Structure formats: structure tokens, C-alpha cells
């Protein structure tokens, strides 16, 4: 009798302990790491960059290895691209890269969710010193800098020199009276800035004021009217694949970003030309057509084990030398003011046009608020509706109000 | 009938006398060990030398109580709030680098909480098993019968109780891979899990249902539901009728090279659907081949926008239905060919002698017979079309854009809209879960009603 009791109790308690040990570990999780200070630049830092930039950054990262012998930097090509960082990191922040390239408009959303850490104070003051105010604003969210800026981008006008002259492309009317233009009213990135030209703001002047959008106004209606009027313009072609149209010779000009420069050069050859945006005639006045300005930077994953190492790597990969290397290999426009003064940068037509476009009044920094998600969903159908005529002019005000309400909460 | 017989067979091991024993009798008349076994599982079995059964029960009970004390109770209390800490904080560590302290991860808390619920349910079942076994031992003793030894008990698992052994693995699989994920997804519909509450979310009851049915998504839900049903009906009807007519045409006397014609349509069917759809999307593009051909023939002066972002909703919807006919008719044709070839010819001969023409024969004999056989398949096709993700997503991507919708286009079905809500910009997981539940309700009610009304069901 007694022996089986002992066996039973012994066996049971062993099993119970094992079960407890297995269950107990799953509940606790905390983010405390890197206790000691200065000499903590070691370990492995994983960096996601866009596939075509991998070679450049692998080259840049070699400099780090000589500086910090204990530090191992892995440059990894992010197959789904930096544009999807916001969605990808949410799947499992601890599996995402420690440092990753990201467009500035996603910073607010990631910062609100706690996926990224702000830049340490010592690096923040460096960023402020090295870059223009617009750039710094672009990576700042709620008074904290959330990314190390590495390049800036803005759309510019690419055109065919043999069909359009430099004078023609100064005004929209001049340009579209001579040759066809590929427009895309389904993609707010390309066409929403008409609203800025018409005098409205998106989330206020700062781009961070949720309630301050004012598109449901007389100015907003004017912008929609201008878009609707383009339907009657025979030389404006609505297309979602402007590059194809340019290649087929059906259009002579298009708006595009620096990332397509190489393709467009290949298509146009000697006729390649680039210029800042033209003016458009809105409400009887010629006004500079604006563009969204984006800043790409390196953000630091808040789940990264070693914050000091991660931030140091991000800082190094966005330094002046790194920006210039990226310019030489990819044509990405530097944000670093010193780098912008480099001869090669200054002498490039595309870069010149982009730097002109990034000046105050020519472009608006892409807002960083999480509400931009709704903006992207709803702005396209709104403009497309005005262009195709499925939204009648009488409904413009009501539709704009609906749009404004949907993005203001 | 067969079902009832089977049940009796499995229950025949428990005699009526044993069944009549009440809980109170086992507890009051049983010996001390029997009584104790109500609290300490497996005691009575161990005492009667059924070592394996008794020890397993005892160990599982101790493990359960231990788990409950150290992990289970906290999992339950967290489940009620989905984590009390909802705020993210940023601090600066000793070396001057910022650290982010995340709020409680509700996704994991919800998962562990549901697993805990499942464990409790399993334990209750185990306790029931313990009671039954205890009662059986009491009964055997009362009647003075022999108590099965440990070896006999184990042997019975491979013999008379083989069903229990065989069912164990599928049962665990069903619980882990079907029940748990389903309950997990359903429970998301009652939270505010979305883009703004991606890490720390809370229970919000039926608020997400309110959003979909009367709130900001209602303006999208009802029109999309309407189009989904219209699409499912039209798509099913067109492919069915087209397939039947095509099959009859090929089967009718006077048509030569029947095998050749059939092969042509089978080839259409054999190309993977997504290849066909992506190719069609290219072909129908505003700058695609079809518009090029039509313009070169001077049939149209401007390219027609069939399925683009800026196309006319009506044009796009009709295009989608036509493309679906092209890929769906060969399938129906194959099935109805088989039925037509098996139709009794004497009936048709008799009708023809009575003076019925081909149309009359089709309407009164051939078609009703095909319909009779194919109705269950049609219902299945209808449900499949309600959830026909491929055709919409690969062909139009939901386009044309619709300014009155939230996150959906004019050709989006409920299921592609659900996909947009999850993987699109807005990440409204709770709304997507609600949509999933609503789609299930629509599908289940339609198929239940439809199946019960089919002749195949009534006569089968």
C-alpha cells in the first residue's frame, strides 16, 4: 500500500514542477537590456535596406567594422521594401531588423505603437545641425526625432526635349497645349498636392494637427474643379503606368521621382530632360503646383537588444559619406547640407530639380500621423471620382466634408 | 437507422443497472477510497491495481491544479481585461539611449487566455471520465464481479475501446487547429483590435458589429453585400446555363469531332485559374491588347476602360461576369456532359414519337434531370462564388474606385473587402472578424435552406 503512494506522489510532483516551469516562463516579458554604458557598441545589428541599395550599404558598413571590432553589422535586402515597413514590423517586432530604412510618413504610426525608439539626444542635436529645418521637421513627431534622415525625395517633371521646350514646361497650360502628359488621378501621392496649391492644408501647417485639415472649403472645391477640368483636356492622359506610355511615345511628360530616373533616361535617351513642377492656373491665378516631399531615414526598432549599437549603426549609415555613396550609386538626393554642396550633387539636373522642389512653397512634407492610413484609402477614390465625373460638381462640398471627417478621427 | 444501431453498440458495455446508479449513491455507499476519488482523481483505480489509468488521472489532476495556481488563474484574470497596462512609455536608460516599455500584449494574452479556457474544459471532461470509471469500479464491487486488471484495461484500448484510442489524435488536432483558432478569430470581433489599438486592445462587446452594421462601415457593407449576392447568383447561373447548353450542343446528333470540341474547352479549364485571370487583366487593360485591336479596326475611337481604377462600375461588373463565364463554363460543361450521356434514351425516344420537338425535350426532360443531379453542386458553386476571392482580386483588385466606400471598390466582394481591411492601410482586424462572422452566417443560412429544399435531399 505504502509503496504505490510514494511512487504516485513522487511522479506527480516531478510532472507538476515541469509543467509549472514551462508555463511560468511565457507570462513575463520586459524590454530591459544594455545596462552598462559607453563600451556597449557590440553584438550583431541587423539592418534592412531596399534590395537595390544592399550593395552600397554593405560597402558603407565595412567602415563600421574597423571602428568597432566587436560589432557585427548584417545588411539585409528587405524583399517587401521599406514602403511596407509599417505593416511588416507589426507582425512580430522582435523578428524585424534592429535598424531599417523607412519613409518618414510612417514614423508617427510606428512611434504611437511603440515599435520604434526616438533618436538619442546626442544624435538628435547632430541631425539638427547637419540637415535643413524641413528635413528635421520631416523626421520629427511629437517633438522627438524618430529617424536618421538619409535621403530626400520629391516628384519632379520628366519630359521629352524634342517635343517640349524648357519654356513650355513652366506652365501646365503651356505644356499640355503642346504635348500629352501622363497623369494619375487614382494615386493621391501623385495628384493630391493640387489641394495644397489651391490653398488647403492637410493636418494643419505642421502636418500633426488631426483636426486641422481644411479641404472641405471653397479652396478644396476649386482643386476638385481643376481636376475635373482635366478630363476635357485632350492632352492629359489618365494612366496607372506612365512609364509604359512614355516608352510607347504616347506621352511626352510625366511626374515621377528620382527612383525612376535611370529608366526614364533609358527610354528618352538624348531627349531626356527634367524640371521642377510647372504652375497651374487655378481660380484664375497661376500658382506653383506642389508635390509631396518625403524623407527616407533609418529608424531603430524598439525591440532591438542593444539600443546603443543600433543607434550608432543607424547614425553611421546616414552620415555624409554614406549619403554621397548612395547618391553616386543610386541617385538618391542627400539630406545632409554639406553633401548637397558636393559638386557631383550640384551638377546633376535631377538633383537640382529635386532640391528646388523641396524648398518651402514648392512641396509639403508628408504628414506622419497614423490617420494617413485612411487618407491613402479615401483620397484616391475622391479625386478619381471628380476626374471621371462619377462625383457631380454639386456634390463636391459634401464629398470633401465626408473625406475630411474620415481622416480627422 | 444505421446511426442509432452504431450508438447502441458502443454504449452496450454499460449495463442498464450501472446506468441507474446516481452520483449520491456512489458517494454515500462507496468505501473511503471511492469517496476520496471524487477529490483525488485516480485513487480508486490505483487501489484496484489499475496503475496506468489511476496514475495518469492523479498526475493530470496535480498538474492541472499546479498550472491553475501558478499560471492559469493569472491567464484568466488577464483575459478579462486583456492586460491592465495599456500605455506605452519611453524612458532613457543609463547610457542615454531611449528604451520603449511596451504595454501588455493583448494578442498573446487573448491566446493564452483561450488556451486556459480550453484546458479547463478538457479537465472537466477528464473529471467526468474519472467519475465514470469510479462508478464502474463501485458497480463491479457491488455486484461482486471481477475487476479488470491493469493489463486487461490496457488491452481493451486496442480492442473494445479502440475507437477511443483512434479518436484521441484527431480530437487533439481538431481542438488545436480548428476550435482554438476559430474561437480566437471570433473573439477578436468583440475587441477594438485595429490600427490604433494594435498592441494593447480591450473588450468592447458588440461595438465592432455596430460599426459594420450601422456605423461608418455600413455605407460600404450593405452595397458590397448586395453586389456579392448579385454576383454569386449571376455568376452561378451564367456558368451553369452556359455549360449545360454547350454540353447539349456538343452532344447533339450531327455535330462532328465531338472529342475535339470537348478538348478545346477542357484546355481552357486546365490552365491554372490565376494565370488566366492575370492574363485577362492585361488583355482588358485600358492600354491592353483588346483595346488596341478594337482601335486598329476603327470600331472605337477611345480605349474602353473595362476594369481600371477609373472605369464605369457597371462596365467593370459586366466584364467580371463575362470573364468568369469564360473560365467557369468549361467546368459546368464537363459535369453536364457526363449527366447527358447517362440520360435514359428510351424516355427521350418516347417523347419524340409523341411529337415533342428538341426544345420541348430539353425543357421537360433533359434540363430537369440535369438540374436534379446538379443542384447540390450548384449550391456549392454559389457559396464558392460568394467567396470567389481569385476572380475579383486578380482581375480587378476591387476596382473601379468608389468614393462612397471605405476601403473597397465597386467590384469588391465581402471577402476581398475583408482582405483589404486586414492587409490594407487601415488594419481594422476587429471589423474584419465581424465580416468573417457575417459571411459565415450568410453562407450557412443560404446553404442550409437551399439544401433542404433540393429534390436530391428530399428523395435521398
Amino acid at each position: 500500500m505504502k509503496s504505490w503512494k510514494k511512487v504516485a506522489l513522487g511522479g506527480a510532483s516531478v510532472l507538476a514542477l515541469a509543467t509549472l516551469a514551462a508555463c511560468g516562463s511565457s507570462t513575463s516579458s520586459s524590454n530591459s537590456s544594455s545596462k552598462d554604458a559607453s563600451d556597449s557598441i557590440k553584438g550583431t545589428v541587423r539592418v534592412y535596406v531596399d534590395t537595390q541599395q544592399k550593395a552600397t550599404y554593405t560597402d558603407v558598413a565595412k567602415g563600421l567594422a574597423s571602428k568597432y571590432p566587436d560589432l557585427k553589422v548584417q545588411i539585409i535586402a528587405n524583399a517587401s521594401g521599406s514602403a511596407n515597413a509599417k505593416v511588416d514590423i507589426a507582425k512580430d517586432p522582435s523578428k524585424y531588423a534592429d535598424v531599417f530604412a523607412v519613409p518618414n510618413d510612417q514614423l508617427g504610426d510606428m512611434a504611437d505603437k511603440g515599435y520604434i525608439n526616438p533618436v538619442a539626444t546626442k544624435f538628435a542635436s547632430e541631425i539638427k545641425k547637419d540637415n535643413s529645418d524641413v528635413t528635421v521637421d520631416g523626421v520629427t513627431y511629437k517633438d522627438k526625432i524618430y529617424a536618421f534622415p538619409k535621403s530626400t525625395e520629391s516628384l519632379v517633371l520628366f519630359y521629352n526635349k524634342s517635343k517640349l521646350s524648357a519654356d513650355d514646361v513652366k506652365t501646365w497650360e503651356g505644356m499640355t497645349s503642346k504635348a500629352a502628359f501622363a497623369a494619375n488621378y487614382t494615386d493621391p501621392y501623385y495628384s493630391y498636392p493640387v489641394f495644397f496649391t489651391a490653398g488647403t492644408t492637410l493636418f494643419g501647417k505642421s502636418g500633426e494637427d488631426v483636426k486641422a485639415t481644411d479641404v472641405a472649403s471653397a479652396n478644396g472645391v476649386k482643386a476638385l474643379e481643376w481636376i475635373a477640368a482635366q478630363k476635357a483636356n485632350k492632352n492629359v492622359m489618365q494612366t496607372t503606368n506612365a512609364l509604359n506610355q512614355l516608352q510607347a511615345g504616347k506621352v511626352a511628360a510625366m511626374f515621377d521621382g528620382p527612383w525612376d530616373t535611370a529608366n526614364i533616361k533609358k527610354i528618352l535617351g538624348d531627349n531626356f530632360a527634367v524640371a521642377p513642377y510647372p504652375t497651374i492656373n487655378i481660380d484664375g491665378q497661376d500658382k506653383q503646383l506642389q508635390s509631396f516631399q518625403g524623407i527616407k531615414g533609418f529608424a531603430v526598432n524598439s525591440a532591438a537588444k542593444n539600443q546603443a549599437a543600433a543607434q550608432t549603426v543607424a547614425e553611421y549609415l546616414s552620415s555624409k559619406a554614406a549619403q554621397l555613396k548612395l547618391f553616386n550609386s543610386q541617385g538618391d538626393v542627400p539630406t545632409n547640407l554639406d553633401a548637397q554642396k558636393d559638386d557631383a550633387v550640384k551638377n546633376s539636373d535631377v538633383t537640382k530639380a529635386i532640391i528646388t522642389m523641396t524648398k518651402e512653397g514648392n512641396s509639403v512634407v508628408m504628414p506622419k500621423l497614423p490617420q494617413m492610413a485612411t487618407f491613402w484609402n479615401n483620397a484616391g477614390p475622391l479625386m478619381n471620382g471628380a476626374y471621371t465625373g462619377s462625383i457631380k460638381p454639386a456634390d463636391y462640398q459634401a464629398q470633401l466634408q465626408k473625406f475630411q471627417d474620415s481622416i480627422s478621427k | 437507422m444505421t446511426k442509432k444501431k452504431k450508438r447502441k453498440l458502443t454504449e452496450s458495455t454499460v449495463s442498464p443497472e450501472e446506468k441507474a446508479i446516481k452520483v449520491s449513491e456512489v458517494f454515500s455507499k462507496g468505501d473511503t477510497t471511492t469517496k476520496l476519488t471524487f477529490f483525488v482523481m485516480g485513487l480508486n483505480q490505483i487501489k484496484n491495481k489499475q496503475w496506468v489509468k489511476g496514475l495518469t488521472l492523479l498526475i493530470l489532476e496535480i498538474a492541472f491544479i499546479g498550472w491553475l495556481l501558478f499560471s492559469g488563474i493569472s491567464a484568466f484574470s488577464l483575459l478579462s481585461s486583456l492586460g491592465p497596462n495599456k500605455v506605452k512609455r519611453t524612458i532613457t536608460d543609463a547610457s542615454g539611449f531611449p528604451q520603449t516599455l511596451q504595454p501588455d500584449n493583448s494578442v498573446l494574452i487573448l491566446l493564452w487566455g483561450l488556451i486556459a479556457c480550453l484546458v479547463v474544459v478538457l479537465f472537466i471532461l477528464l473529471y467526468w471520465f474519472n467519475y465514470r470509471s469510479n462508478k464502474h469500479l463501485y458497480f463491479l464491487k457491488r455486484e461482486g464481479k471481477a475487476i479488470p486488471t491493469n493489463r486487461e484495461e490496457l488491452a481493451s484500448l486496442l480492442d473494445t475501446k479502440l475507437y477511443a484510442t483512434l479518436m484521441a489524435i484527431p480530437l487533439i488536432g481538431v481542438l488545436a487547429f480548428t476550435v482554438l483558432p476559430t474561437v480566437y478569430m471570433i473573439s477578436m470581433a468583440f475587441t477594438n483590435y485595429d490600427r490604433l489599438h494594435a498592441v494593447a486592445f480591450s473588450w468592447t462587446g458588440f461595438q465592432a458589429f455596430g460599426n459594420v452594421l450601422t456605423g461608418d462601415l455600413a455605407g460600404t457593407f450593405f452595397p458590397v453585400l448586395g453586389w456579392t449576392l448579385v454576383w454569386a447568383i449571376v455568376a452561378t447561373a451564367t456558368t451553369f446555363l452556359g455549360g449545360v447548353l454547350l454540353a447539349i450542343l456538343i452532344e447533339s446528333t450531327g455535330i462532328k469531332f465531338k472529342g475535339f470540341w470537348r478538348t478545346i474547352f477542357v484546355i481552357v479549364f486546365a490552365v491554372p485559374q490565376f494565370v488566366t485571370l492575370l492574363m485577362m487583366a492585361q488583355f482588358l487593360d485600358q492600354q491592353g491588347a483588346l483595346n488596341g485591336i478594337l482601335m486598329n479596326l476603327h470600331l472605337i475611337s477611345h480605349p474602353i476602360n473595362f476594369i481600371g481604377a477609373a472605369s464605369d462600375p457597371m462596365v467593370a461588373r459586366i466584364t467580371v461576369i463575362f470573364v468568369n463565364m469564360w473560365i467557369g463554363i468549361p467546368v459546368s460543361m464537363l459535369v453536364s456532359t457526363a449527366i447527358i450521356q447517362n440520360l435514359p434514351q428510351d424516355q427521350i425516344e418516347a417523347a419524340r414519337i409523341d411529337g415533342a420537338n428538341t426544345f420541348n425535350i430539353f425543357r421537360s426532360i433533359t434540363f430537369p434531370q440535369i438540374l436534379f443531379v446538379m443542384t447540390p453542386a450548384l449550391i456549392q458553386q454559389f457559396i464558392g462564388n460568394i467567396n470567389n476571392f481569385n476572380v475579383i482580386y486578380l482581375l480587378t483588385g476591387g476596382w473601379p474606385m468608389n468614393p462612397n466606400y471605405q476601403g473597397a471598390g465597386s467590384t469588391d466582394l465581402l471577402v476581398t473587402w475583408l482582405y483589404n481591411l486586414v492587409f490594407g492601410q487601415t488594419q481594422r482586424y476587429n471589423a474584419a472578424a465581424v465580416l468573417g462572422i457575417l459571411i459565415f452566417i450568410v453562407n450557412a443560412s443560404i446553404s442550409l435552406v437551399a439544401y433542404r429544399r433540393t429534390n436530391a435531399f428530399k428523395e435521398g
Side-chain angles (χ1 to χ4, degrees):
Chain A
M1 248 332 188
K2 273 185 180 168
S3 63
W4 65 257
K5 268 184 186 162
K6 269 183 190 166
V7 170
L9 275 176
S13 50
V14 166
L15 199 104
L17 278 175
T19 321
L20 292 181
C23 293
S25 61
S26 66
T27 48
S28 69
S29 71
S30 68
N31 258 345
S32 60
S33 57
S34 71
K35 275 169 202 129
D36 49 14
S38 54
D39 61 339
S40 55
I41 314 299
K42 58 186 173 198
T44 303
V45 174
R46 297 167 70 241
V47 184
Y48 274 174
V49 296
D50 282 332
T51 313
Q52 66 271 28
Q53 300 180 343
K54 190 190 167 188
T56 311
Y57 278 113
T58 311
D59 187 35
V60 173
K62 280 178 193 150
L64 265 170
S66 54
K67 219 169 156 188
Y68 303 102
D70 294 337
L71 183 69
K72 197 165 164 276
V73 181
Q74 293 177 341
I75 306 287
I76 301 159
N78 182 2
S80 60
S82 55
N84 287 323
K86 188 176 81 176
V87 178
D88 290 344
I89 195 173
K91 288 169 190 160
D92 187 354
S94 62
K95 295 277 188 310
Y96 207 68
D98 302 319
V99 173
F100 55 95
V102 62
N104 72 312
D105 58 305
Q106 301 187 5
L107 294 175
D109 189 62
M110 289 201 252
D112 271 353
K113 288 175 184 163
Y115 294 150
I116 52 173
N117 269 342
V119 169
T121 326
K122 59 173 175 179
F123 293 135
S125 50
E126 254 176 66
I127 291 173
K128 282 183 191 151
K129 196 178 79 213
D130 292 344
N131 297 281
S132 69
D133 288 349
V134 183
T135 308
V136 175
D137 283 350
V139 291
T140 306
Y141 178 67
K142 290 185 180 164
D143 298 330
K144 280 182 186 155
I145 293 181
Y146 276 94
F148 295 82
K150 69 185 184 80
S151 65
T152 181
E153 42 190 46
S154 159
L155 294 178
V156 286
L157 177 76
F158 291 97
Y159 64 98
N160 186 331
K161 257 198 302 205
S162 67
K163 293 185 182 164
L164 289 164
S165 71
D167 272 344
D168 290 337
V169 299
K170 283 193 175 136
T171 65
W172 176 267
E173 289 71 24
M175 175 174 75
T176 55
S177 67
K178 291 230 170 114
F181 177 84
N184 185 359
Y185 294 107
T186 63
D187 187 345
Y189 183 66
Y190 288 88
S191 43
Y192 187 84
V194 172
F195 283 92
F196 300 138
T197 308
T200 69
T201 67
L202 183 59
F203 302 123
K205 276 253 175 292
S206 65
E208 284 191 25
D209 192 347
V210 179
K211 303 275 177 211
T213 309
D214 58 355
V215 291
S217 60
N219 285 337
V221 172
K222 279 175 206 157
L224 277 189
E225 280 167 353
W226 186 86
I227 292 172
Q230 300 316 309
K231 179 86 174 166
N233 189 339
K234 261 193 292 179
N235 272 338
V236 174
M237 178 198 269
Q238 157 68 38
T239 173
T240 46
N241 197 342
L243 273 180
N244 266 1
Q245 301 303 316
L246 193 69
Q247 184 146 32
K250 288 183 184 163
V251 297
M254 63 186 282
F255 294 151
D256 207 340
W259 52 87
D260 270 334
T261 307
N263 285 332
I264 297 171
K265 269 189 181 152
K266 213 184 285 169
I267 292 170
L268 291 179
D270 290 341
N271 292 326
F272 175 87
V274 62
Y277 270 18
T279 59
I280 60 170
N281 192 299
I282 195 160
D283 196 29
Q285 284 175 301
D286 281 336
K287 286 183 178 172
Q288 173 65 44
L289 183 57
Q290 304 201 18
S291 151
F292 272 123
Q293 188 191 352
I295 291 143
K296 277 204 173 153
F298 283 112
V300 176
N301 189 339
S302 61
K305 290 271 164 9
N306 190 335
Q307 286 293 319
Q311 295 223 356
T312 308
V313 170
E315 194 257 351
Y316 189 85
L317 294 181
S318 60
S319 64
K320 180 192 165 193
Q323 290 195 8
L324 280 175
K325 267 193 182 156
L326 195 66
F327 170 76
N328 288 326
S329 65
Q330 304 289 327
D332 283 29
V333 181
T335 61
N336 187 297
L337 290 173
D338 281 348
Q340 285 189 352
K341 287 183 194 129
D342 186 271
D343 280 345
V345 177
K346 273 201 294 190
N347 291 337
S348 152
D349 284 350
V350 181
T351 315
K352 237 190 313 189
I354 290 172
I355 292 177
T356 310
M357 280 304 286
T358 55
K359 283 188 181 139
E360 183 91 47
N362 292 358
S363 65
V364 170
V365 175
M366 186 77 79
K368 289 142 293 196
L369 287 175
Q371 278 76 5
M372 284 300 281
T374 321
F375 167 85
W376 291 119
N377 262 2
N378 295 5
L382 176 73
M383 290 183 299
N384 180 53
Y387 177 76
T388 58
S390 67
I391 301 177
K392 299 281 171 285
D395 299 332
Y396 285 173
Q397 179 66 34
Q399 287 284 349
L400 283 167
Q401 188 65 50
K402 212 176 86 181
F403 169 70
Q404 184 174 315
D405 292 345
S406 72
I407 62 171
S408 302
K409 61 185 180 199
Chain B
M1 280 306 274
T2 45
K3 260 187 187 171
K4 272 186 182 166
K5 258 185 196 164
K6 263 184 197 161
R7 264 187 92 182
K8 267 192 181 159
L9 255 177
T10 56
E11 281 173 10
S12 65
T13 47
V14 181
S15 63
E17 298 91 62
E18 187 183 339
K19 259 191 172 174
I21 299 173
K22 295 248 164 56
V23 184
S24 52
E25 191 193 326
V26 182
F27 193 76
S28 55
K29 293 190 183 161
D31 58 8
T32 325
T33 328
T34 311
K35 280 178 188 163
L36 268 179
T37 308
F38 275 89
F39 306 103
V40 183
M41 287 162 52
L43 266 192
N44 206 8
Q45 289 88 337
I46 293 171
K47 188 185 159 202
N48 288 295
K49 302 211 169 121
Q50 295 178 340
W51 301 109
V52 175
K53 195 194 245 180
L55 278 177
T56 313
L57 282 169
L58 184 65
I59 290 169
L60 284 176
E61 185 183 11
I62 292 172
F64 175 77
I65 290 170
W67 167 83
L68 198 66
L69 286 178
F70 289 94
S71 176
I73 289 175
S74 84
F76 282 118
S77 65
L78 284 173
L79 184 64
S80 63
S81 65
L82 291 174
N85 175 16
K86 306 271 182 208
V87 205
K88 176 210 79 169
R89 281 179 306 133
T90 305
I91 53 158
T92 308
D93 68 6
S95 47
F97 285 96
Q99 299 281 353
T100 301
L101 303 180
Q102 281 285 18
D104 296 330
N105 191 340
S106 304
V107 177
L108 290 179
I109 290 171
L110 180 60
L111 184 63
W112 288 118
L114 290 177
I115 290 177
C117 290
L118 202 62
V119 170
V120 169
V121 171
L122 286 177
F123 183 76
I124 291 172
L125 289 177
L126 190 75
Y127 186 82
W128 172 245
F129 173 76
N130 173 58
Y131 165 69
R132 285 277 296 266
S133 157
N134 193 19
K135 185 169 91 170
H136 188 59
L137 288 172
Y138 166 79
F139 169 75
L140 291 177
K141 272 192 188 163
R142 192 186 73 179
E143 304 291 311
K145 286 184 182 169
I147 290 166
T149 64
N150 191 34
R151 185 184 292 260
E152 281 166 355
E153 279 278 310
L154 280 179
S156 76
L157 280 178
L158 292 173
D159 184 23
T160 51
K161 286 183 182 162
L162 184 65
Y163 66 93
T165 318
L166 287 180
M167 278 305 289
I169 291 168
L171 187 75
I172 291 169
V174 165
L175 283 176
F177 299 113
T178 308
V179 175
L180 184 66
T182 310
V183 174
Y184 184 63
M185 298 297 164
I186 289 174
S187 57
M188 273 180 194
F190 302 95
T191 66
N192 59 356
Y193 186 24
D194 59 11
R195 174 173 57 80
L196 297 172
H197 309 88
V199 184
F201 51 84
S202 353
W203 296 110
T204 52
F206 285 90
Q207 203 176 307
F209 284 84
N211 275 343
V212 173
L213 295 173
T214 57
D216 63 332
L217 294 179
T220 315
F221 175 71
F222 289 104
V224 172
L225 174 67
W227 157 240
T228 304
L229 292 176
V230 169
W231 146 261
I233 293 168
V234 175
T236 313
T238 48
T239 50
F240 171 68
L241 290 176
V244 169
L245 289 177
L246 195 61
I248 288 176
L249 189 70
I250 292 176
E251 286 305 312
S252 56
T253 45
I255 297 283
K256 284 179 180 168
F257 315 120
K258 286 181 181 166
F260 169 73
W261 299 118
R262 221 172 283 138
T263 312
I264 284 186
F265 290 107
V266 170
I267 288 173
V268 173
F269 171 44
V271 176
Q273 209 188 39
F274 80 97
V275 175
T276 315
L277 288 167
L278 289 174
M279 210 181 64
M280 275 287 183
Q282 293 292 311
F283 179 69
L284 293 169
D285 190 72
Q286 201 174 2
Q287 281 92 36
L290 182 63
N291 273 315
I293 295 168
L294 291 177
M295 289 209 351
N296 285 339
L297 293 173
H298 298 290
L299 290 172
I300 51 172
S301 56
H302 293 289
I304 301 170
N305 199 344
F306 289 103
I307 50 172
S311 63
D312 183 69
M314 212 52 187
V315 174
R317 286 173 176 180
I318 292 172
T319 311
V320 170
I321 286 169
F322 267 96
V323 172
N324 184 64
M325 278 169 76
W326 195 71
I327 54 179
I329 284 180
V331 187
S332 300
M333 183 209 73
L334 275 183
V335 179
S336 31
T337 306
I339 299 168
I340 290 168
Q341 286 172 344
N342 287 315
L343 284 183
Q345 289 299 316
D346 44 355
Q347 204 181 4
I348 296 171
E349 282 300 313
R352 197 161 283 145
I353 291 165
D354 284 348
N357 60 21
T358 316
F359 178 71
N360 285 338
I361 292 173
F362 171 71
R363 210 192 60 178
S364 310
I365 301 174
T366 327
F367 189 70
Q369 301 224 41
I370 295 172
L371 196 63
F372 173 75
V373 181
M374 277 188 68
T375 316
L378 270 181
I379 295 166
Q380 203 185 343
Q381 265 184 32
F382 180 80
I383 300 300
N385 275 328
I386 286 183
N387 290 325
N388 204 332
F389 186 85
N390 281 2
V391 170
I392 302 299
Y393 186 76
L394 297 174
L395 189 65
T396 67
W399 280 356
M401 289 180 163
N402 191 327
N404 299 317
Y405 289 178
Q406 291 275 351
S410 291
T411 56
D412 263 322
L413 304 178
L414 285 176
V415 64
T416 53
W417 181 39
L418 189 157
Y419 177 86
N420 289 345
L421 286 178
V422 176
F423 291 98
Q425 290 277 352
T426 50
Q427 301 169 335
R428 299 178 72 154
Y429 305 110
N430 56 349
V434 171
L435 268 189
I437 294 172
L438 293 177
I439 293 174
F440 169 75
I441 293 173
V442 169
N443 283 349
S445 45
I446 289 176
S447 39
L448 270 180
V449 170
Y451 269 119
R452 294 192 73 92
R453 282 168 175 270
T454 56
N455 289 325
F457 178 82
K458 284 178 192 157
E459 292 175 22

